[in-house]
Structures are given as structure tokens and as C-alpha cells.
Amino acid sequence: MLDSALEVLRLQSRGEATAVEIAAKAIDKIEASQGSINAFTHVDRELALMAAEAVDQKRRNGEPLGPLAGVPVAVKDVLCTKDMPTTCSSNMLRGFRPPYDATVVEKLRQSDAVIVGKTNMDEFAMGASTETSAYGVTRNPWDTSRTPGGSSGGATACVAAGTVPLSLGTDTGGSIRQPAGFCGVTGLKPTYGRVSRYGLVAFASSLDQVGPIGWSVQDIALLLQCIAGYEPRDSTSLNLEVPDYQAVLQSIDMRGMKIGVLRNELDVDGVDDAVRDAVLSSIDIFRDAGAEMIEISLPHSSYWVPTYYVIAPSEASSNLSRYDGAHYGHRVPQLDPEKAESLGPLVATYCQSRAEGFGAEVKRRIMVGTYALSEGYADQYYNQALKARRLIKGDYDAAFSQVDLLLGPVSPTTAFRLGDKIDDPLQMYLCDLFTVGANLAGIPAISLPAGIDAAGLPLAIQLQAPPLAETRLLFAGAAYQAETDFHKLRPDNFGS
Amino acid sequence: MSLTVAEVRKLALLARLDLSDDEVASVRPQLDSILAFVKQLTELDTTDVEPMTTALDVDNRWREDQQLPGLMNEEALANSPSQNEGCFLVPPVLGVVASKKS
């Protein structure tokens, strides 16, 4: 029941379950899984049951109900919630209570969703394994010795563990798609500007985007419908009408659609055979559904990761300068008198508070960004990366003049073991090899479950579309899921 | 290219991070390898390429100049590490550490 939002809605409308019963079951499962999975940084049974009771009350009174009425939803801990702490999985924001809700959280409440808690993540969304969290690692429900991916690792693990049918993640360089792939669930990164970023704690503002995570395309279409749309408090929010995302799921006939296969990505060093095979077999599935498949390449794709790892840390170093221990967040309890003397008490407070509050990866990225923006280096690094970004965007524009969608892998590998890459930042960055392109270009992309490898780990494929063509991703995703049962596979201990 | 300890320390100060000796020792080779990796961007010919700062085709956004509700003082101060008489209390910019007793 907790693996389908549509099922949860059906059960309530038939009178077979109440929102309170569903919420209680979700919270029970979360609490039972925290010890083994640790997907949440905060769970609030009381608030969830109150929200559920309000939904049941509305239903009893015959009042109109929102599209997510009584559906338990988890929220990544980078999105502001005024009634729960918002920590970004950092000691810097331990106990921080935002004075307002993020727009997407407001929209969840307006949709009558039941928010059950906040999910664990890499600190400030910087990482690909959820190991940089200050609140402990999250484990993959398919194999608890492995990472769920990151940075939205809690958001995908909580769905894969069967605790909630839907969750909200964020994606700056693949942070929805890669963990969705590692956890065998479906995750979508919308077009930059499609979903408001108001109340999303900023990491890299020109790349960040909020998106839905669930088992099926039908479910994430439902959640996307609720969160998409114009919102003036985010100056980059697009003032454009939101299409009906359910309407495109009616047909699975892909005739007339042309899909470009990013064949080069499969030959990159370090791509698992099983990952390659999953993409290759999906080509046949799409072709059988009627799509025309052609090979295509994006010439500057080898520059995606270096471009990303200049732009994202540069923006991060600027965005995270707000954590100074003055207005909110961690402040050093005891100043080092020598430093207070040499730097002055205020600057010493900044330096020591930030040193204590931030973890190693966040510090590293702030340092890289500071370097890339510093006098004498900005042209060589930051400005050059901005120019490379335009070339990368140009490749996509050229590709989409020939095809409707792009098909390729999500990540080079399946879920790796906890501890495998945490000491080698560059190896961790290369997890983003196939995902950062969509963020740099601002286009939407989806990660779809594509089977299980010999080790029992989920495989995934990625589709990318032109700006605002989420409809196309959902349509093709639904067609794929109509032909396959990969999104119906569950980890062994799922039902427990 | 390799950063010296002094350069890492200077960078840390610019970034307002008080790094321990151990942290400097471990982050230095990591920064070297990251910077060497991203430096491959300099191979790209970007003559006549305009920098791309946003994925959107939008100009500046304007709105009516009207009053909108904002945070009340109490809400703004709710998460402050230290406050005094309705203001944020921070250490002095110059001089010695002394804090006003409230």
C-alpha cells in the first residue's frame, strides 16, 4: 500500500483506509527502518497524524480534497519547513527552525499531503553517497552495506524501503537521478525554473531544482503537478502555464517519437557491463513501443564534470558565506584569544564558527570555489567554465533539433559500498559523469528503474528532454514502464 | 601546479575557515588534484563564446513597488545564537572580546 500514491488515494476514496491509519502505518515503518536505513533526520508522528486527521475530517464533511489527500510524503532536509527543523544534514544548522515554508512545502500542504518528516542527505547536498551527512550515513534498502546514492539518498531510500510512496528531492548535479537509480525508484529533475526554489536552501543557485521521487511515473507525475508552476518569490521561476501531466500518460504508443542514444557514454572507462546492457536492452523496448532510435553524441560531454566542479563550488562558496554564526546557525562557544587578537573578534568568530559547523566536503568545495573566483584565477577557471557551459548547452540544442529525447545511463556503476569513495573526492565527483549535463543546460531528465544486476542491485536508464518537455519524459517513461516490470521490483525485506 | 601550505592558509582565510594543521595537510593534495582536473577546461577554445550565467532566457524581473509582509522582529531573531534588546549580538569587529551583559 505504501508503494503507490494512487493506491493510497483509492483506498481512502473507497473507505477501505483512513488517512490517519495510513499515516500511522507510514510512521511505524519509518521508525522500524531508522536503525537499519537511517533515511530521516526528523520524523514527527504527532504532526503527521494531525494533518491526516484534518484530511479525514474534510472527507467526512464532504469538503473538496487536494490531489494528494492523505498521501504520506517525505521532504528532503534542504527544504524549509516552519514546523520542523531544517538542517541540510549539517552541524551548522543543527536545530534550525525556519520562519517560513518553502513554496513546494506550502504546495504539499495545499494538496492535503501528509508530511511525515525530513530526509537525510549529503551535507548541504554536496556528495553522491549521503555519507557526508552530520547525522550518520543512510543505507541502501537493497543492500545495507551500500550507499543509497546522494545527495537525496534519504529521499530515495525512504521510498525504496516502503515507508512512504512519494518524496521530494533536489538535484543540482544528479542528486535526484543518481540515488533514484541506486535505489531502484523513479526520479525526475524538472526544467530549471519549472518548480519554485523559494525556501530551498541554496547550494548552486543556477543549477538547483526540486523534483519528485516515487516508484512509478504515474505517481511522480501526480507530485510534479502539485509542485510545478510560477511563483514570484523565486525570481528564476518561469511564468508559464503547467501542462496536465496525467493527460500524457493515457497513450503508450511511441510512434513518431525519435530518441537519440548517447552511445559514447556506454564506452566511457569505468562503466559497468550491467549498466551498459540495461541501456542497450532499453533501446529495443523503446523501438518495440514504436520509437525511432538513432545514435547521437554531445561533443563536449567530457567537459561536463570539470565545468560543473568549477561552477557549482563557485556558487556554493558565495551562497554559503551567509553561515557566519551571526544571525542563525552555529556560533563558536569560545573564541581562541590568539585568533581574536590577530583577526579581530568578529572575523575570528566567522572563521571558527564555520570551521566547526561545516564538514570536510563542504569546506573543500568552499575552498575550490573561493580559488576559482579569486583575483588572478577567475578568468582561467570561473569565466572559462561559464563559456564551456554555453558550448555544452549548444550541444543539447543541436541534438534536440534532431531528436525528441536522449537516452543513456544515469551513473557509471550501481550502488557502491559505503566507504569506497569517501576518501577520494575526485572519484566521488565522477559519479556525476552522465547527470551534470542536464543541470548545466537547465533541461529536465528522468531516471527509470531498468532491472537488477547479478549482485541484486538496481540498474537505471536516463532520459533527457528539451526545456519544459517534462510531458515527453513522463510519456516515454510511462510507455517504458508499461512494457517492463522493473519499477515493480522491491528489495527483499520490503514488506516487513 | 601545487598549492603551498601558505596558499592553502590564505585561501582558508578568504573563505573564512579556520583550518587545523591536520586539515590543511589533508586538503592540500585534494585541492591540487581537483584543480588539476578542472584545469582541462583551459584546453577548450572559447574564443567568441559568451559566458552563460543562467539556463533561462529571461531578463531582470520587475514587480510593483508595494509593501509586502516580511518577517517580524521576533521571527527574525528566533534562531540567533545571541541577541540583546531586539538586535543580533555579535562580537566587535576590532579590539578585544567583550560582550555586553544583558
Side-chain angles (χ1 to χ4, degrees), chain A residues 295-353:
Chain A
E295 279 189 23
I296 201 160
S297 70
L298 300 166
H300 294 93
S301 55
S302 65
Y303 293 102
W304 289 359
V305 177
T307 302
Y308 178 84
Y309 278 97
V310 172
I311 292 175
S314 295
E315 293 188 21
S317 76
S318 169
N319 272 325
L320 272 64
S321 65
R322 75 190 61 179
Y323 304 103
D324 55 7
H327 304 95
Y328 54 87
H330 177 74
R331 183 187 293 185
V332 60
Q334 195 68 50
L335 265 189
D336 178 336
E338 262 178 53
K339 295 203 165 104
E341 176 79 35
S342 63
L343 298 170
L346 186 64
V347 172
T349 300
Y350 295 159
C351 292
Q352 284 188 255
S353 300

Side-chain angles (χ1 to χ4, degrees), chain A residues 97 303 331 363 384 390, chain B residues 23 41 46 50 79 89:
Chain A
R97 294 234 169 205
Y303 293 102
R331 183 187 293 185
K363 288 179 191 173
Q384 178 71 355
R390 186 166 301 280
Chain B
E23 281 180 305
L41 287 178
T46 53
E50 278 292 301
N79 285 290
L89 189 63

Side-chain angles (χ1 to χ4, degrees), chain A residues 63-146:
Chain A
E63 291 171 44
L65 290 161
L68 290 173
V71 177
V73 180
V75 174
K76 186 177 179 182
D77 207 12
V78 70
L79 294 162
C80 287
T81 43
K82 66 181 173 196
D83 55 1
M84 293 182 193
T86 298
T87 69
C88 296
S89 289
S90 178
N91 282 323
M92 182 57 88
L93 289 175
R94 194 176 278 273
F96 175 72
R97 294 234 169 205
Y100 55 82
D101 276 336
T103 301
V104 290
V105 171
E106 260 177 16
K107 289 188 170 199
L108 282 182
R109 297 190 204 277
Q110 285 158 9
S111 307
D112 286 325
V114 173
I115 299 173
V116 293
K118 307 297 289 288
T119 58
N120 201 14
M121 53 188 276
D122 281 294
E123 185 181 5
F124 284 104
M126 300 179 194
S129 67
T130 318
E131 289 172 287
T132 69
S133 168
Y135 304 95
V137 302
T138 295
R139 292 170 181 277
N140 192 319
W142 294 83
D143 177 347
T144 53
S145 71
R146 292 175 189 269

Side-chain angles (χ1 to χ4, degrees), chain A residues 192-483:
Chain A
Y192 184 76
R194 178 81 285 181
V195 177
S196 170
R197 290 184 297 111
Y198 179 77
L200 159 60
V201 178
F203 156 21
S205 308
S206 81
L207 304 164
D208 298 339
Q209 191 62 197
V210 186
I213 296 160
W215 284 104
S216 68
V217 166
Q218 277 76 12
D219 270 13
I220 66 163
L222 182 67
L223 181 50
L224 180 63
Q225 196 80 56
C226 294
I227 61 170
Y230 176 62
E231 211 272 333
R233 290 177 298 183
D234 170 4
S235 64
T236 61
S237 165
L238 293 167
N239 194 357
L240 296 167
E241 208 172 309
V242 179
D244 181 344
Y245 293 124
Q246 296 290 329
V248 300
L249 306 179
Q250 302 312 313
S251 160
I252 54 165
D253 183 354
M254 295 192 72
R255 276 176 298 181
M257 188 162 277
K258 203 188 258 189
I259 301 182
V261 181
L262 298 169
R263 190 69 185 72
N264 294 351
E265 291 189 344
L266 302 180
D267 300 326
V268 171
D269 274 352
V271 174
D272 282 356
D273 288 345
V275 169
R276 182 181 303 117
D277 292 346
V279 175
L280 292 175
S281 38
S282 75
I283 295 174
D284 295 330
I285 293 166
F286 286 116
R287 191 183 288 121
D288 290 346
E292 184 188 343
M293 309 301 288
I294 64 166
E295 279 189 23
I296 201 160
S297 70
L298 300 166
H300 294 93
S301 55
S302 65
Y303 293 102
W304 289 359
V305 177
T307 302
Y308 178 84
Y309 278 97
V310 172
I311 292 175
S314 295
E315 293 188 21
S317 76
S318 169
N319 272 325
L320 272 64
S321 65
R322 75 190 61 179
Y323 304 103
D324 55 7
H327 304 95
Y328 54 87
H330 177 74
R331 183 187 293 185
V332 60
Q334 195 68 50
L335 265 189
D336 178 336
E338 262 178 53
K339 295 203 165 104
E341 176 79 35
S342 63
L343 298 170
L346 186 64
V347 172
T349 300
Y350 295 159
C351 292
Q352 284 188 255
S353 300
R354 289 162 62 81
E356 287 182 358
F358 292 139
E361 178 61 20
V362 172
K363 288 179 191 173
R364 209 149 38 225
R365 294 209 196 181
I366 290 174
M367 301 270 284
V368 170
T370 304
Y371 184 87
L373 292 172
S374 61
E375 195 183 353
Y377 298 101
D379 263 343
Q380 200 181 344
Y381 288 93
Y382 184 63
N383 292 336
Q384 178 71 355
L386 293 181
K387 292 175 182 175
R389 186 177 184 183
R390 186 166 301 280
L391 295 174
I392 291 164
K393 174 73 162 60
D395 288 349
Y396 275 108
D397 292 344
F400 288 128
S401 70
Q402 295 177 61
V403 297
D404 300 302
L405 291 168
L406 294 170
L407 168 67
V410 178
S411 309
T413 68
T414 54
F416 49 91
R417 286 190 192 284
L418 291 163
D420 264 8
K421 298 186 193 230
I422 195 71
D423 297 322
D424 189 345
L426 213 47
Q427 282 307 309
M428 194 70 92
Y429 297 174
L430 291 171
C431 294
D432 303 338
L433 203 56
F434 306 132
T435 47
V436 291
N439 301 82
L440 291 167
I443 61 169
I446 193 169
S447 171
L448 297 163
I452 298 291
D453 74 357
L457 299 170
L459 296 158
I461 57 165
Q462 176 176 221
L463 291 170
Q464 302 176 75
L468 297 165
E470 282 83 359
T471 43
R472 222 177 276 174
L473 293 175
L474 295 169
F475 166 70
Y480 181 76
Q481 294 188 343
E483 298 297 323

